[in-house]
Amino acid sequence: MRPIHPAWVVLLTSAWLATACNLPLWQEVARLPGSGSLRDWGFALAFGAIVAAGNAALLSLLAWRWTLKPAAVVLVLMAALGMYFMLAYGIAIDSFMLLNVLQTDLGEARDLLDWRLPVSVLALAAPPFLGLYRRPLQRLGAMRQVAYNGLLLLGSLAVSVLCLLLVFQEFSSTMRNHPRLRYLINPLNSVYALGNIATQPLRMDTHALLPLGRDARLGASYSGQTKPPLLVLVLGETGRSQNFGINGYARDTTPRLAARKDLVSARNAWSCGTSTAASLPCMFAHLGRADYEDRPSNYENLLDVLQHAGLGVLWVENQSGCKGVCARIGEIHNPADPALCPGGECLDRVMLQNLDAQIAALPAERRARGSVVVLHQMGSHGPAYYKRSAQENKKFEPECHSAALQECGREQVVNAYDNSIVETDHFLDSVLEWLLTHEKRAQTAMMYVADHGESLGENNIYLHGLPYAIAPDVQKHIPWITWLSPAMQSRTGLSSACLQRDQDQRRISHDNYFHSVLGLMDVQTSAYRPELDLFAPCSRIGGKQG
C-alpha cells in the first residue's frame, strides 16, 4: 500500500481528535446561551479549529519516524477514555482528577468497569488505528523531516492565533464565564494535567521533608491525668451534607445518630477539594486550601505533629490508601471478614475488629499520654453505591446496580447513595458504642468529617472530582459531626450545647481541621492557629469559656 506522508497523519489525527473525540466539549458549547445564531456557529468553528491546531502542534513535536504512530495511538486512546468518562459521569479532567486515576486501586477500578467502556473506546479508536496500521509512513530525509515538522508547528500556531483573533471577544468572555470548557478540551486536558503533575518537582522542591511542629508539647491538661485522651478521627468518603438526616434531609438516613442528644453536627462545612487525592493531604496540612496548591506539599502534617508531642497515632485503612498522609506511621488493613466483606470489598465496620489489639501495639509510653486513631472509610464511594451498605441497611429501594449511573433512574441512584449513608450511620454508631466501652480507662471523643461531596445526576453530572472553581456545591458541602464524652468535656471545658450553638450556622471548612484537632488534644506548637480552632470559643483550654 502506498505510504502516507507524516504531515497527513498529523492533520488527520488532529481533526479526528478535535471532532469525534470531543463530543462532550461540543455538547457544552451547544448549550451556551444564545447558541444557534450565525455568529455562534462562527465561534464554534473557530474554537474547533483552535482545538485541532493545538493537537496538530503537539503531534508536530513528535512527528518522527519512530515516534509519530505511537504518539498518535496514545493520544487517541487518552481521548477515547477521557470522552467516555466525561460523557458517562459529566466529569472534567484536571491534575487532581488524573491523580485520582493514578492512585485508584483494583477494587475502585473494577467498580468503574462496564461493557460500554470497551465498546465506546473501540468505536473511537478503531478508525484511526486501522488507518495507522494499514498505511506505512513515507520516509523522509532528516532535513526534510525537520522542515515539515517546523512548518506544521508554525502553521498550527498561526491558525490558532488567527482564529483566536477572529473571535477574541467571544472566546475570552466564554472562557471567563464558562471555565468548565477548558477542562473538556480532549485530550489536551489530560496532556496538560500529566505535564503539570510531572513538572511539579521542577517548580517546587518536593524531595526534602519540611519540618513542622517540632516544638510540639502537651498542654496543662496532661498534668496529673488519671485517664489519657482517646480521639477517633473518622475520615468519611464521599459524604453529602444535605443527604444526612441529622442535617435536615427529608429522608431518615441517620436514625442512630439522630437518636443521640450529645452530638454536634455542623451544617455549613466545606471541603478543601473535590477528590480524596486533593482533600486528604490538604485537610491534614497546616496551610489551608488557599495556600496548599501553591506551596510545597511535602511538609510534615498533623499526624507528625501529634507524634512530635508524644502521642500514639494509628491509621486504619478501608479504602485505596492515605494519599501519603500516613507515610511516616504506616497504615493497617484488617483481614477480610466473610460477613463484612462480600465480594472482597469490606464494609467499614471491619475496621473495628482487632482495634483494641492494634492500639495496644502502640508504644506504651505514648498510649499513657493519649492516642489518636484515624479510621479511613470506604463510605459512599461511587459509582457502586449499592455495594456500600449491608442488606439490613437498605432502607430505600430500588437501587441502581450499574456502574453506568446515567442508565439508572435518578431515584434509583439516590436510593443506593442514601443507603450508603444509612450504613455510615450504623458505622458511626458502632464507633461510639466502642468508645463507650473505653470510658473507664480513657477520656474519649470522635470527630467525623467527609473528604468531599458527590454529584448524583444534578445537571447530568455524577461522582466528584470537578476542578474546585467550577464544581457544584454538592461536591464541596460536607458533613462534620463531633462527639465528646462527659470526661472529655470535663477535661477541655467544652460543652456540646456551646459547640452546637457556635457551629449551627457558622461556615467552617477543612482549613479548621488541623488546628481543631491540635486544640482538642491540647497540643501546643507554633504551627497552631487558635483562630482556626473550632473548639477554642467554647474551650477552657482555648482560653475562652463557653
Side-chain angles (χ1 to χ4, degrees):
M1 185 171 288
R2 185 178 178 182
I4 186 171
H5 197 286
W8 280 112
V9 174
V10 170
L11 296 174
L12 292 173
T13 303
S14 300
W16 182 260
L17 292 171
T19 53
C21 295
N22 264 287
L23 183 57
L25 174 64
W26 305 128
Q27 286 181 334
E28 196 78 9
V29 169
R31 286 193 286 264
L32 293 175
S35 295
S37 68
L38 186 61
R39 184 185 183 89
D40 290 314
W41 274 106
F43 166 76
L45 289 173
F47 193 5
I50 292 171
V51 174
N55 288 318
L58 176 61
L59 276 172
S60 70
L61 300 174
L62 304 167
W64 310 98
R65 179 182 175 189
W66 302 110
T67 58
L68 178 55
K69 282 190 175 183
V73 167
V74 169
L75 286 177
V76 169
L77 273 178
M78 288 173 63
L81 288 167
M83 191 179 107
Y84 170 78
F85 286 108
M86 286 190 288
L87 278 179
Y89 301 111
I91 67 167
I93 297 176
D94 69 344
S95 300
F96 283 120
M97 182 64 74
L98 261 293
L99 277 176
N100 277 327
V101 172
L102 296 172
Q103 295 174 357
T104 296
D105 63 16
L106 183 60
E108 290 180 345
R110 187 168 56 242
D111 289 341
L112 290 167
L113 295 180
D114 181 80
W115 64 267
R116 297 168 184 81
L117 174 58
V119 170
S120 299
V121 171
L122 185 62
L124 284 172
F129 281 9
L130 285 174
L132 290 169
Y133 175 76
R134 294 175 61 189
R135 299 284 295 273
L137 281 179
Q138 182 179 339
R139 294 190 181 185
L140 303 175
M143 295 308 296
R144 288 184 65 197
Q145 188 70 71
V146 169
Y148 275 114
N149 288 5
L151 287 172
L152 280 170
L153 178 59
L154 292 175
S156 300
L157 295 176
V159 169
S160 296
V161 171
L162 177 61
C163 291
L164 185 58
L165 290 175
L166 289 173
V167 294
F168 182 76
Q169 185 175 353
E170 294 91 335
F171 189 86
S172 61
S173 174
T174 300
M175 287 301 176
R176 183 174 60 253
N177 296 323
H178 304 276
R180 174 179 164 84
L181 291 175
R182 70 188 67 173
Y183 301 104
L184 299 178
I185 301 173
N186 195 25
L188 296 178
N189 49 5
S190 297
V191 172
Y192 177 82
L194 286 172
N196 190 45
I197 294 169
T199 58
Q200 186 182 32
L202 302 177
R203 290 179 278 113
M204 58 181 70
D205 181 11
T206 59
H207 293 92
L209 182 65
L210 302 177
L212 179 70
R214 297 290 177 91
D215 60 345
R217 59 186 178 84
L218 301 177
S221 64
Y222 290 85
S223 300
Q225 67 178 10
T226 56
K227 295 188 294 186
L230 171 59
L231 171 62
V232 173
L233 300 175
V234 180
L235 297 182
E237 168 64 37
T238 317
R240 284 168 55 118
S241 178
Q242 53 267 61
N243 285 63
F244 275 62
I246 196 173
N247 287 341
Y249 187 40
R251 283 179 159 181
D252 190 15
T253 53
T254 55
R256 296 171 186 246
L257 296 179
R260 295 180 174 272
K261 304 305 179 186
D262 52 357
L263 296 176
V264 177
S265 184
R267 297 190 179 189
N268 195 11
W270 299 83
S271 68
C272 187
T274 62
S275 67
T276 306
S279 284
L280 215 56
C282 182
M283 65 193 292
F284 278 80
H286 67 295
L287 295 170
R289 191 184 74 82
D291 293 329
Y292 182 76
E293 291 185 28
D294 300 323
R295 299 277 295 277
S297 58
N298 51 313
Y299 277 104
E300 291 180 314
N301 59 47
L302 173 62
L303 302 184
D304 297 297
V305 177
L306 294 171
Q307 290 207 114
H308 295 333
L311 299 173
V313 183
L314 180 69
W315 185 292
V316 184
E317 181 66 38
N318 191 38
Q319 226 221 89
S320 59
C322 68
K323 313 305 180 188
V325 173
C326 65
R328 288 165 294 283
I329 67 168
E331 59 187 29
I332 295 174
H333 292 261
N334 278 341
D337 180 333
L340 294 175
C341 306
E345 294 185 17
C346 295
L347 297 173
D348 292 317
R349 282 172 276 163
V350 77
M351 290 189 287
L352 294 176
Q353 296 184 349
N354 305 317
L355 189 53
D356 286 292
Q358 291 157 358
I359 293 174
L362 293 171
E365 67 277 10
R366 289 181 175 271
R367 283 189 286 111
R369 300 184 193 105
S371 302
V372 177
V373 177
V374 184
L375 304 179
H376 188 197
Q377 280 187 280
M378 178 61 79
S380 303
H381 198 289
Y385 306 122
Y386 69 96
K387 293 183 180 180
R388 311 297 175 231
S389 57
Q391 189 59 46
E392 65 269 21
N393 287 327
K394 294 186 181 296
K395 292 181 60 175
F396 309 106
E397 298 282 359
E399 289 185 310
C400 176
H401 283 245
S402 171
L405 297 177
Q406 73 279 11
E407 299 298 324
C408 294
R410 187 162 187 273
E411 182 182 0
Q412 293 177 310
V413 174
V414 174
N415 285 344
Y417 179 85
D418 283 350
N419 287 334
S420 74
I421 302 301
V422 177
E423 183 67 36
T424 288
D425 175 67
H426 188 166
F427 172 63
L428 293 178
D429 184 70
S430 299
V431 172
L432 294 175
E433 291 299 319
W434 178 85
L435 283 170
L436 288 174
T437 66
H438 289 72
E439 285 201 317
K440 290 184 178 181
R441 54 185 183 274
Q443 297 173 323
T444 57
M446 181 199 79
M447 191 159 68
Y448 163 80
V449 184
D451 57 355
H452 54 77
E454 187 85 329
S455 288
L456 298 177
E458 299 91 352
N459 298 315
N460 205 34
I461 299 173
Y462 295 89
L463 304 182
H464 54 266
L466 282 176
Y468 199 90
I470 64 170
D473 284 350
V474 290
Q475 293 191 23
K476 299 180 285 191
H477 191 195
I478 56 170
W480 187 316
I481 299 171
T482 305
W483 174 84
L484 305 175
S485 67
M488 182 63 89
Q489 292 186 44
S490 177
R491 176 191 184 95
T492 59
L494 289 165
S495 73
S496 296
C498 177
L499 287 174
Q500 189 61 67
R501 287 195 304 271
D502 183 65
Q503 297 182 27
D504 197 37
Q505 295 300 326
R506 175 184 172 191
R507 184 183 176 97
I508 64 176
S509 74
H510 281 163
D511 288 5
N512 301 102
Y513 192 82
F514 176 96
H515 307 279
S516 299
V517 173
L518 292 181
L520 184 59
M521 293 302 289
D522 192 16
V523 172
Q524 299 181 3
T525 169
S526 57
Y528 168 74
R529 293 174 58 187
E531 70 273 16
L532 292 176
D533 179 0
L534 297 177
F535 304 113
C538 292
S539 172
R540 180 175 62 246
I541 293 174
K544 199 171 182 179
Q545 285 284 354

